[in-house]
């Protein structure tokens, strides 16, 4: 497994992985943690919001109930999309590794990177994208 950086690798991810769990999903439509997943939903991707506060309120977005943790998602997830500060990414590593089956890719949004977490995910067979925007890459490459 590897750190995905080449346009052809990103295109492959976007073309073949259709279920995205969004860690740090936000219900405010002006925040990137809302409008990026909304855009991906409009492009035909399944979006699962991961936010404990929204899950506690029983909220649903894009036809999916919000969940508190990745491990409680009842369907296989292709991409875990992370909208958390770089210094918070490590906090989600145990939850990502507890997913059954594991995700194929962990995607850290623009401005987010943690090389140690990326190496740990790679050692568990999970590909990683860091410091890239799903929306921008989708628009530019597909």
């Amino acid at each position: 497994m590897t750190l995905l950086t080449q346009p052809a690798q990103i295109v492959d991810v976007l073309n073949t992985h259709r279920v995205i769990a969004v860690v740090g999903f936000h219900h405010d439509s002006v925040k990137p943690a809302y409008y990026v997943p909304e855009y991906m939903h409009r492009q035909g991707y399944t979006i699962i919001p991961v936010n404990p506060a929204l899950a506690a309120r029983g909220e649903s977005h894009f036809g999916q109930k919000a969940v508190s943790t990745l491990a409680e998602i009842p369907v296989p997830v292709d991409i875990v999309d992370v909208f958390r500060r770089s210094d918070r990414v490590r906090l989600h590593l145990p939850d990502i590794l507890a997913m059954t089956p594991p995700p194929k890719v962990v995607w850290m949004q623009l401005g987010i990177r943690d090389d140690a977490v990326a190496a740990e995910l790679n050692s568990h067979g999970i590909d990683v994208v860091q410091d890239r925007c799903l929306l921008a890459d989708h628009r530019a490459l597909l």
Side-chain angles (χ1 to χ4, degrees), residues 47-119:
I47 303 297
I48 303 168
V50 182
N51 180 312
L54 302 181
R57 292 196 296 262
E59 289 190 26
S60 292
H61 296 272
F62 318 123
Q64 300 290 323
K65 276 190 67 124
V67 296
S68 295
T69 66
L70 291 162
E72 68 189 81
I73 297 173
V75 298
V77 170
D78 298 317
I79 301 171
V80 171
D81 186 22
V82 179
F83 278 95
R84 297 295 313 272
R85 291 189 336 231
S86 295
D87 64 348
R88 301 285 182 165
V89 172
R90 175 157 293 285
L91 301 174
H92 299 282
L93 185 59
D95 193 26
I96 294 168
L97 296 177
M99 295 174 75
T100 305
K104 293 173 182 66
V105 177
V106 171
W107 187 301
M108 298 179 216
Q109 281 294 133
L110 196 60
I112 304 168
R113 92 177 290 118
D114 185 318
D115 293 332
V117 168

